[in-house]
Amino acid sequence: MNPRELLPRSLWLAPLGLSLIFVLGVLAWVWANEADERDQLRQTLISDALSTEAQLRGRIEDERGQLRQLAAALRGQPRNQDSLESRPEVNAGLRRLWQSVTWLDARNRVQAEVPPVSEAGAYEDGLSLHLTAATEGEGTLVVRYAPALLLKRGVPWWLARKYDVQLVDSADQVIASTTDSPLRAALGERLSYRVALPGPLRASPLAETALTDAAVELTLREPPTNGVKPLAWVLVAGFLPLIAVASWLIRRQMRQVQRAEVAGRTEAAWRRAMEDSALVALRARDFDGRLLYVNRTFCELVGLPAEALVGLLPPMPYWPPDALEELTERNRRNLAGQAPREGFEARWRHASGRPVDVMVFESPLVDAGGRQIGWMGSIIDVTERKRLEERERREVETLAHNARLTMLGEVASTLAHELNQPLTAIASYTAGVSNSLAKLGVQDELVCGALQRLGQQAAHAGRIVARIREFLTRREPRHERCDLHEVVRAALDLMRRDCQRRGVQLELALAPEVPPVWADAVLIEQVVINLVRNATDALQAQAGSRRITVSSRVAGGFVRVTVQDNGPGLAGQRIEQLCAPFYSTKPDGMGMGLAICRSIIEAHQGVLDADEAAGGGAVFSFSLPLEPLDAEAPADASSDMSDTRTSP
Ligand code: ADP
């Protein structure tokens, strides 16, 4: 795997990694925040504890001041119950905080006590603290108060609500508390702070035991959260699995996208390869005829680059200017969806100016949603095919023309031959009649003159006929060294299309090697064509398989070419009959083909033959000598074709 691939493949991990970093960051922030908060709480606690201690101390000092004022007021008063009870300070103190006021003499004996001792036991708090003030004559005033009441009165309500305020002694025993169930047991988890209350608290006036180590302790009621708040944990715990699931979904999605991308790329590559290697030119057009796409073959066909074509509207640059009107009309028809399904031919123009013959097939262009958005044209370049067809057509025409000429020559030659004899007879009879008349002494000038002119005219006609015949038969084959197989193949090539059209199978079974013959290739080609055409005609009415086999064989200084068919055969007719001029069994036949063939073959010192085939059908064959003929005197045998015709 290369590094370029690694990055996109592991990209799906990025959101997960970023989320983890984010979560850790949030946790760190929450934790730091919590620590800050804790610090702040602690600061507040300390200041609250100090202020509580100050307030308590102030309160005790106040009480002590009140007691001193009472002591001063009792100066000079008799030390008895009435004196004490009559003091308004005593009542005020009792209403405030005091539980009892006791007046002791120098020997700490109780002189007076408010409320009386019997009622003092009613105080709820077993543990009491005392304030003392010296009175006149070594007496002492002792005020007993409940530390719980002190806390209740001395601690502001908002502090009591926030903290559990306690008085503790040096042995860490709770003396009093603002709550019934102190939170000390769970002290470790809660925030608390202790401030020493110096000096003024005494456990008992007699024992003089000083609670010098007493202290005020404030404990936060709400335990400060330790570390990150649970809500944060819940959020994180919920967030992480969600992110994990999301990442997994992203990964799956990425894989699907990757797979789709790979498939898409492969398909695109396939398509491009197919388009580029296609021999068919492709063009896509919208309904206005605007070119949307052209493949490479199309560009090569018209000689223009795709950039110059895509986006163009008709008329197209490859339309020949002289056919613009016709092509515009046809284009309109095609865009209306009326292009012939079997395709149509058109002539375009290459950028170089040369004409290009094309075959165009139009089909609907459909988008991914199945909606037709235009037309897709497949174009095949048929220029070469048309050129070959044209050449073939011209060749066939020339061939037919030559054949007609040859046939006419032969007809004329035959006519001349046939007329020669009657004309000679006319001349002879005329001469005979003239002689007879002369012998009889007939001197009729009119008759004798007419007979003489008749003889002259007949002789003249005979000379004309002889001249024509001489002219026609003087035509000598142009002998040359030629490969007979080549000649046969050329002839069959010309016949092949005709055979295909008529459903005739043309087979070739030539000898592996044949020495060159001395012949007129054009005339021999005519012979082969004629024989094959006759065989095709004979097979025309044949049901089932139609087969023509052309074979060659070398034997005895001759090469023999045979044309065999599986047609109806010759019905017992001999070659002489078949080769007779104007003999034909075809409705439109002229009956000169075989006669001409025979003339040609015999002019080459060869023999034309015909026979019934072994399995049915006809066999026509001709033989040609292998030895080169004497080129200087070849005309002997062909000087009079009609004469050679009957020779074996
Ligand atoms: P045409 O073809 O004009 O009839 P031809 O001289 O070429 O003149 O042929 C003469 C006749 O010979 C044909 O009409 C036909 O009856 C017969 N013939 C020639 N070739 C075959 C053949 N392969 N099979 C059967 N009959 C044939």
Side-chain angles (χ1 to χ4, degrees), residues 51-364:
S51 100
T52 308
E53 184 267 345
Q55 285 195 30
L56 285 178
R57 190 144 38 86
R59 181 92 194 191
I60 290 166
E61 280 308 316
D62 274 358
E63 294 304 327
R64 201 187 296 280
Q66 295 287 343
L67 190 60
R68 280 201 202 97
Q69 276 180 14
L70 178 64
L74 287 173
R75 198 165 291 151
Q77 298 289 323
R79 259 187 223 154
N80 56 25
Q81 193 71 19
D82 288 343
S83 305
L84 198 56
E85 277 177 354
S86 62
R87 292 310 309 165
E89 294 89 346
V90 173
N91 284 326
L94 287 174
R95 275 200 303 275
R96 257 192 341 267
L97 181 68
W98 299 350
Q99 286 179 309
S100 66
V101 184
T102 310
W103 198 349
L104 302 174
D105 63 7
R107 289 166 64 190
N108 283 341
R109 282 177 310 202
V110 177
Q111 298 299 307
E113 191 170 37
V114 178
V117 183
S118 54
E119 292 172 28
Y123 289 104
E124 80 285 0
D125 196 343
L127 180 62
S128 299
L129 297 176
H130 300 85
L131 293 171
T132 56
T135 54
E136 194 187 34
E138 295 181 349
T140 312
L141 274 176
V142 177
V143 166
R144 196 164 62 129
Y145 66 93
L149 210 56
L150 174 70
L151 284 184
K152 207 171 171 184
R153 299 268 156 83
V155 178
W157 64 269
W158 51 272
L159 274 179
R161 207 172 191 195
K162 190 172 171 187
Y163 303 106
D164 185 1
V165 185
Q166 294 169 339
L167 276 178
V168 289
D169 65 11
S170 54
D172 218 16
Q173 289 294 313
V174 177
I175 300 165
S177 171
T178 50
T179 53
D180 296 336
S181 51
L183 297 163
R184 302 204 70 223
L187 206 61
E189 295 162 26
R190 292 174 195 259
L191 213 52
S192 68
Y193 192 74
R194 188 181 287 189
V195 184
L197 265 176
L201 302 177
R202 286 173 193 283
S204 158
L206 303 177
E208 291 287 327
T209 313
L211 289 173
T212 49
D213 291 338
V216 181
E217 186 177 275
L218 266 69
T219 304
L220 199 63
R221 277 179 187 278
E222 291 292 322
T225 47
N226 198 4
V228 181
K229 279 179 181 157
L231 180 64
W233 282 116
V234 168
L235 287 178
V236 166
F239 178 69
L240 279 179
L242 284 179
I243 282 292
V245 169
S247 299
W248 180 76
L249 287 174
I250 288 173
R251 180 168 171 255
R252 207 178 61 163
Q253 192 68 20
M254 273 181 72
R255 288 220 168 149
Q256 278 174 358
V257 169
Q258 269 174 350
R259 271 200 294 274
E261 205 179 27
V262 168
R265 266 199 237 127
T266 312
E267 198 187 306
W270 269 99
R271 211 187 59 193
R272 182 140 294 280
M274 272 161 55
E275 285 169 2
D276 287 350
S277 63
L279 294 174
V280 177
L282 298 170
R283 65 144 193 228
R285 298 184 299 165
D286 63 14
F287 286 120
D288 297 329
R290 184 183 286 103
L291 281 175
L292 303 172
Y293 165 80
V294 287
N295 74 344
R296 210 172 62 182
T297 315
F298 188 91
C299 296
E300 285 166 5
L301 183 75
V302 298
L304 291 169
E307 303 79 57
L309 290 166
V310 172
L312 283 186
L313 277 165
M316 296 302 173
Y318 47 83
W319 289 2
D322 53 342
L324 271 187
E325 211 171 302
E326 183 198 341
L327 287 173
T328 308
E329 184 50 41
R330 191 184 288 175
N331 184 57
R332 216 189 329 270
R333 176 199 72 183
N334 296 342
L335 291 177
Q338 286 161 0
R341 280 181 66 82
E342 65 280 5
F344 59 90
E345 282 191 11
R347 175 161 282 195
W348 289 353
R349 203 181 60 154
H350 189 268
S352 64
R354 102 180 121 79
V356 185
D357 288 309
V358 291
M359 190 79 193
V360 186
F361 302 89
E362 297 281 8
S363 54

Side-chain angles (χ1 to χ4, degrees), residues 530-531 534-535 537-538 565 568-570 573 578 583-586 588-595 618 620:
N530 223 314
L531 295 182
N534 273 347
D537 289 344
D565 61 65
L570 300 175
Q573 294 171 99
L578 294 169
Y583 171 77
S584 175
T585 56
K586 303 172 194 168
D588 53 348
M590 196 167 191
M592 288 301 296
L594 287 177
F620 281 81

